[in-house]
């Protein structure tokens, strides 16, 4: 006789997690279980023997008592009642159920009506319904259709559709197909547990190929009942049992093939007992191999210390569920996922990812295995670190601390010491400026036994700078623009980094306006749009400019002012023969000493001061020499205008003779 065993039989992730949390709670002094933590009387009895008591309502909990919330979850009202009683709440709710509760809560806040496809009297559905107001609950598409035929006005309401995690896939799909056509504002969330779907799909496949099918599970369990319904649609001989005592040899009479699966709340110990009983009556025809022998093969595929490849099936707040391809349900605690204590699980893995991990612990009795990704990652990382020395590989890390003589860089959790001389900073620089910075480095020394790793940032930055310099000199040309960074400053200009090469911007090329020091308009670290004025590749010198040649200040002045106009000017320089005033940025005019006041003055500083704003009349413009004559006196009294005209021609000449380099 051929026997087909379902790989997915037994505890699912959510149940295994809830039982494990209950066992941990019992070890810490016990407490109360609100309702059946899972739908299996044998599991509940075992937990009660270990120190957990069962209560049916929040009111039965003692003041300050530790209360365990079952895998099916509870309503918000119940949780609030426990909080009011000061209960120490321990959440064992399946992460998939928590997600549904969150979805319906958010949907109600958005003004949507909640529609649940599931069993109205099931604890999970009751709990979900307790997170929203008066949801619509339907068991199948026929009831959905009947409701909307009698309430056609509801079809236009904004709605959200969710499913009980153990809902039969075909039932869900038929409901979805109807509501898609009927409702005009519907959000659909397929919340059927992936483990449930896989279990149902496998059960259906096996049932279609065998003469008899056995389903093991508590009769209160919805997922066990659904497995039975699915199998009966495909196999004429189906038996649902809770224990091995319900088996009889006559059931297998005349069968050439048999199948076996179990509900998500069925512990491995009961499945073992059932198959042991079956072994006494049924032997396979190939090698006389028994059910028990095949079960042993399926249960002993994992051992502590094994390296396994698994697929992520669900992500929770405290752990990640994985499919290890055997009977045990695998999970990775967040603490074993990454070396980063603050990391979020969804930032490390995604559902569907294939990852490798170490087996930390195997619990064959309860059917789950604890895995660690970070331990395997650590081993691989050390191997990568060692090979990085030989291959001179560039690695990336975060500077985490400064200590005597250098800094420490974390490279995927491995501490790498970088001496100050290899930090890439000038000698005696403040190394703390590198803290929390992402850096690239090469590994120069590894001692795995002492867990000592030494690296160099300087070797990477020097190589990168040399490559950048070569690229700049290979492509540089007059007029080419660069995004430069101000590196240093002098009284005569600034040095700007244009990508590994420094160029000089003379103070006269920084601005059209007259400035005394570059710090008036730029600071170290500023980004400047610079262009190449000239360069000498042999001497490695570059002259840069910043002033926009298309915005010539003289052209701006000529387009704005004419002789006779009055301008508000700024005094920029006092001379013995007069004062220079800025008319527009980059263009100065001369106010001759005779045109500063309507009286005789000994020197310009008797009346004016640098930086002062005054009104002045434009009395003459020399376009060829780009010189401007201004007069304050012409605005003080009508009589001064004649004097302004008499000195209009001699003022530029005097300015040119006294200060031929001024503009």
């Amino acid at each position: 006789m051929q026997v087909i065993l379902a790989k997915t039989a037994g505890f699912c992730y959510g149940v295994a997690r809830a039982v494990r949390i209950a066992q941990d709670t019992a070890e810490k002094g016990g407490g109360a279980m609100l309702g059946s933590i899972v739908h299996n009387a044998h599991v509940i009895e075992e937990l009660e023997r270990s120190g957990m008591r069962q209560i049916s309502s929040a009111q039965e909990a003692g003041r300050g008592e530790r209360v365990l919330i079952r895998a099916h979850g509870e309503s918000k009202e119940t949780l609030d009642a426990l909080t009011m009683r000061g209960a120490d709440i321990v959440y064992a709710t399946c992460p998939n159920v928590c997600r549904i509760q969150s979805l319906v809560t958010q949907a109600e806040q958005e003004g949507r009506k909640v529609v649940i496809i599931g069993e109205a009297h099931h604890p999970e559905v009751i709990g979900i319904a307790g997170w929203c107001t008066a949801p619509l609950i339907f068991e199948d598409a026929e009831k959905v259709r009947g409701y909307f035929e009698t309430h056609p006005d509801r079809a236009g309401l904004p709605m959200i559709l969710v499913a009980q995690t153990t809902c039969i896939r075909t039932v869900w799909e038929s409901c979805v197909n109807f509501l898609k056509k009927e409702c005009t504002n519907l959000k659909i969330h397929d919340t059927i547990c992936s483990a449930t779907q896989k279990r149902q799909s496998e059960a259906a496949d096996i049932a279609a190929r065998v003469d008899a099918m056995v389903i093991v599970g508590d009769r209160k369990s919805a997922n066990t009942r659904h497995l039975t319904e699915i199998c009966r649609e495909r196999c004429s001989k189906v038996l649902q049992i809770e224990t091995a005592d319900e088996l009889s040899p006559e059931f297998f009479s005349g069968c050439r093939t048999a199948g076996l699966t179990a509900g998500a709340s069925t512990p491995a110990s009961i499945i073992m007992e059932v198959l042991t009983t079956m072994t006494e009556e049924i032997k396979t025809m190939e090698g006389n191999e028994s059910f028990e022998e095949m079960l042993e093969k399926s249960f002993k595929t994992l051992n502590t210390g094994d390296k396994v490849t698994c697929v992520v099936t669900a992500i929770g707040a405290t752990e990640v569920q994985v499919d290890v391809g055997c009977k045990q349900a695998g999970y990775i605690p967040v603490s074993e996922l990454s070396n980063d204590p603050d990391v979020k699980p969804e930032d490390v893995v995604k559902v569907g990812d294939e990852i490798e991990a170490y087996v930390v612990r195997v619990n064959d009795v309860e059917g789950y295995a604890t895995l660690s990704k970070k331990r395997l990652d650590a081993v691989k990382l050390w191997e990568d670190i060692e090979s990085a020395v030989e291959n001179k590989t560039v690695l990336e890390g975060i500077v985490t601390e400064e200590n005597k003589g250098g800094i420490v860089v974390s490279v995927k959790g491995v501490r790498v010491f970088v001496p100050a001389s290899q930090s890439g900073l000038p000698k005696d620089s403040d190394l703390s400026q590198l803290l929390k910075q992402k850096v690239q480095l090469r590994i120069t020394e590894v001692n795995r036994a002492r867990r000592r790793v030494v690296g160099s940032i300087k070797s990477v930055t020097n190589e990168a700078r040399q490559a950048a310099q070569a690229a700049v000199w290979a492509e540089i040309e007059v007029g080419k623009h660069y995004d430069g960074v101000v590196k240093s400053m002098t009284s005569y200009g600034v040095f700007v980094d244009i990508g590994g090469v420094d160029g000089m911007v003379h103070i006269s090329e920084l601005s059209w306006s007259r400035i005394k020091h570059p710090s008036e308009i730029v600071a170290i670290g500023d980004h400047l749009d610079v262009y190449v004025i000239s360069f000498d590749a042999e001497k490695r010198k570059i002259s840069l400019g910043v002033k926009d040649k298309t915005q010539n200040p003289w052209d701006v002045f000529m387009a704005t002012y004419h002789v006779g106009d009055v301008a508000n000017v700024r005094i920029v320089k006092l001379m013995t023969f007069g004062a220079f005033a800025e008319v527009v940025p980059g263009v100065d005019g001369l106010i001759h000493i005779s045109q500063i006041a309507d009286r005789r003055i000994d020197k310009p500083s008797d009346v004016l001061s640098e930086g002062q704003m005054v009104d002045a009349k434009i009395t003459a413009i020399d376009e060829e020499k780009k010189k401007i004559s201004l007069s304050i006196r012409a605005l003080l009294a009508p009589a001064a205008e004649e004097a302004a005209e008499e000195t209009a021609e001699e003022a530029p000449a005097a300015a040119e003779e006294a200060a031929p380099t001024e503009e």
Side-chain angles (χ1 to χ4, degrees):
M1 182 175 178
Q2 182 184 7
V3 177
I4 303 174
L5 299 175
K7 294 180 180 180
T8 54
F11 277 1
C12 68
Y13 162 71
V15 171
R17 175 179 178 273
V19 172
R20 175 168 47 82
I21 293 174
Q23 291 170 338
D24 292 343
T25 303
E27 292 176 2
K28 295 176 182 177
M33 299 179 291
L34 183 52
S36 295
I37 184 171
V38 294
H39 275 157
N40 191 283
H42 300 279
V43 174
I44 299 301
E45 290 171 5
E46 182 65 30
L47 289 172
E48 288 178 333
R49 284 194 293 270
S50 66
M52 300 295 292
R53 73 186 187 95
Q54 189 169 359
I55 59 176
S56 57
S57 68
Q59 286 67 36
E60 294 179 35
R63 294 285 178 182
E65 184 177 14
R66 186 179 291 118
V67 179
L68 189 72
I69 305 302
R70 56 188 169 184
H72 299 115
E74 285 291 348
S75 67
K76 186 176 186 302
E77 182 182 0
T78 298
L79 296 179
D80 289 343
L82 287 172
T83 302
M84 290 293 291
R85 295 183 68 81
D88 178 11
I89 303 176
V90 179
Y91 293 93
T93 306
C94 173
N96 293 323
V97 177
C98 290
R99 173 174 174 261
I100 304 175
Q101 293 174 348
S102 176
L103 285 172
V104 300
T105 300
Q106 182 179 350
E108 183 156 279
Q109 292 172 353
E110 295 172 355
R112 291 183 175 274
K113 189 71 173 176
V114 176
V115 181
I116 306 172
I117 305 301
E119 301 174 21
H121 301 295
H122 191 278
E124 178 189 317
V125 176
I126 294 172
I128 295 169
W131 289 86
C132 53
T133 305
L136 300 176
I137 304 173
F138 305 106
E139 291 188 6
D140 51 44
E142 184 178 344
K143 289 183 172 58
V144 173
R145 186 177 292 104
Y147 176 84
F148 281 95
E149 285 177 354
T150 56
H151 301 83
D153 56 312
R154 299 293 180 91
L157 295 176
M159 297 184 179
I160 181 174
L161 181 65
V162 297
Q164 183 179 340
T165 56
T166 56
C167 180
I168 297 175
R169 170 60 57 182
T170 54
V171 171
W172 165 257
E173 290 177 351
S174 60
C175 292
V176 169
N177 291 335
F178 173 80
L179 290 171
K180 274 185 177 179
K181 298 175 183 178
E182 191 73 18
C183 301
T184 57
N185 189 355
L186 177 68
K187 276 189 177 181
I188 301 172
H189 290 275
D190 186 346
T191 53
I192 298 177
C193 174
S194 58
T196 297
Q197 183 176 342
K198 186 175 181 180
R199 189 189 306 268
Q200 292 177 354
S201 177
E202 186 182 21
D205 177 67
I206 294 174
R209 295 154 48 198
V210 298
D211 298 319
M213 191 74 189
V214 177
I215 298 94
V216 186
D218 197 291
R219 288 185 172 82
K220 295 179 181 178
S221 168
N223 71 82
T224 302
R225 187 165 59 254
H226 291 161
L227 285 174
T228 303
E229 294 170 4
I230 290 170
C231 291
R232 281 176 176 160
E233 292 177 359
R234 294 161 177 81
C235 181
S236 59
K237 187 179 275 191
V238 176
L239 178 64
Q240 179 183 336
I241 60 175
E242 290 188 354
T243 66
D245 296 338
E246 299 177 51
L247 279 175
S248 64
E250 292 77 15
F251 177 74
F252 300 101
S253 177
C255 296
R256 291 176 299 174
T257 55
L260 177 65
T261 188
S265 300
T266 307
S269 56
I270 292 181
I271 301 174
M272 174 71 81
E273 184 182 359
V274 169
L275 293 188
T276 299
T277 303
M278 293 173 65
T279 304
E280 297 174 358
E281 302 295 335
I282 305 172
K283 298 289 183 180
T284 61
M285 298 179 66
E286 297 179 5
N288 207 34
E289 185 178 36
S290 68
F291 277 107
E292 184 178 5
E293 291 167 339
M294 287 189 289
L295 181 67
E296 287 293 329
K297 288 182 181 180
S298 66
F299 269 73
K300 293 187 177 180
T301 53
L302 290 184
N303 295 291
T304 300
D306 285 353
K307 184 175 76 172
V308 297
T309 300
C310 46
V311 178
V312 177
T313 57
I315 299 175
T318 58
E319 57 214 1
V320 173
Q321 177 190 356
V322 294
D323 182 357
V324 292
C326 60
K327 186 67 67 176
Q328 289 93 341
Y331 75 92
I332 303 175
V334 171
S335 60
E336 293 295 330
L337 194 62
S338 169
N339 281 304
D340 185 353
D342 300 321
V343 75
K344 295 181 180 179
E346 57 269 22
D347 293 337
V348 180
V349 294
K350 299 287 186 292
V351 173
D353 284 356
E354 187 174 272
I355 61 175
E356 290 185 326
Y358 269 137
V359 178
V360 178
R361 185 178 65 173
V362 178
N363 188 328
D364 280 332
V365 176
E366 301 302 340
Y368 67 84
T370 306
L371 310 177
S372 173
K373 180 178 182 295
K374 77 174 185 180
R375 299 187 194 185
L376 184 60
D377 289 345
V379 173
K380 287 184 175 181
L381 183 57
W382 275 102
E383 294 173 353
D384 293 342
I385 291 289
E386 290 175 333
S387 64
V389 179
E390 299 177 8
N391 302 328
K392 297 183 179 180
T393 308
V394 176
L395 302 177
E396 194 172 80
I398 302 292
V399 179
T400 57
E401 61 182 275
E402 175 192 5
N403 59 24
K404 185 178 180 180
I407 56 175
V408 174
V409 180
S410 175
V411 179
K412 296 182 180 179
V414 174
R415 288 166 53 88
V416 180
F417 174 69
V418 178
S421 62
Q422 297 299 314
S423 66
L425 297 179
K427 188 177 180 180
D428 298 327
S429 294
D430 182 8
L431 296 178
S432 64
Q433 62 183 287
L434 292 175
L435 289 175
K436 298 183 180 179
Q437 297 294 315
K438 184 179 290 186
V439 296
Q440 291 185 323
L441 72 164
R442 280 195 176 90
I443 305 302
T444 57
E445 179 188 336
V446 177
N447 188 325
R448 191 167 179 177
R450 296 178 57 191
R451 302 185 72 80
R452 172 180 168 82
V453 185
V454 181
S456 171
I457 298 173
K458 183 178 179 180
S459 65
V460 177
T461 55
N462 283 351
E463 184 178 291
R465 188 172 183 84
Q466 290 171 3
Q469 289 175 346
V472 170
W473 285 112
E475 301 173 0
I476 194 170
E477 58 185 31
V478 174
K480 187 171 183 178
H481 281 254
Y482 292 92
D483 177 21
V485 179
V486 178
K487 304 298 289 185
S488 61
M489 190 178 301
T490 67
S491 60
Y492 53 84
V494 295
F495 288 93
V496 178
D497 184 347
I498 57 172
V501 178
D502 289 350
M504 173 68 178
V505 182
H506 192 270
I507 189 171
S508 62
E509 291 296 332
L510 277 172
S511 172
W512 287 107
S513 300
R514 185 191 300 272
I515 59 174
K516 293 181 178 180
H517 195 274
S519 60
E520 294 179 29
I521 57 174
V522 296
I524 293 176
D526 284 355
H527 283 258
L528 298 177
D529 179 18
V530 297
Y531 57 88
V532 179
I533 296 176
S534 64
F535 65 92
D536 187 332
E538 187 175 333
K539 294 182 179 180
R540 288 294 196 260
K541 290 185 177 181
I542 303 174
S543 177
L544 302 171
V546 176
K547 295 192 301 188
D548 186 352
K549 297 298 186 182
T550 63
Q551 296 295 320
N552 191 309
W554 182 261
D555 294 336
V556 174
F557 168 76
M558 291 299 294
T560 308
Y561 295 101
H562 303 86
V563 173
D565 288 349
V566 176
N568 187 244
V569 300
R570 179 172 63 90
I571 306 301
V572 294
K573 193 170 185 179
L574 298 176
M575 308 293 288
T576 56
F577 54 84
F580 285 99
E582 183 182 67
V583 184
V584 296
V587 176
D588 295 348
L590 174 66
I591 309 174
H592 191 269
I593 191 170
S594 64
Q595 299 302 312
I596 292 177
D598 56 359
R599 66 186 187 281
R600 184 178 182 81
I601 59 175
D602 293 331
K603 53 185 180 298
S605 59
D606 291 342
V607 178
L608 301 174
S609 59
E610 290 186 8
Q612 182 180 353
M613 300 297 297
V614 297
D615 286 337
K617 184 176 182 180
I618 300 173
T619 57
I621 299 174
D622 187 336
E623 292 189 45
E624 184 178 348
K625 295 182 179 181
K626 295 184 179 178
K627 296 185 181 295
I628 306 166
S629 296
L630 302 172
S631 173
I632 299 174
R633 178 181 174 184
L635 300 176
L636 298 177
E641 293 185 6
E642 293 182 9
E645 292 174 0
E646 292 175 3
T647 59
E649 294 182 0
E650 70 179 67
E656 184 176 357
E657 182 179 350
T661 60
E662 294 289 349
E663 291 185 4

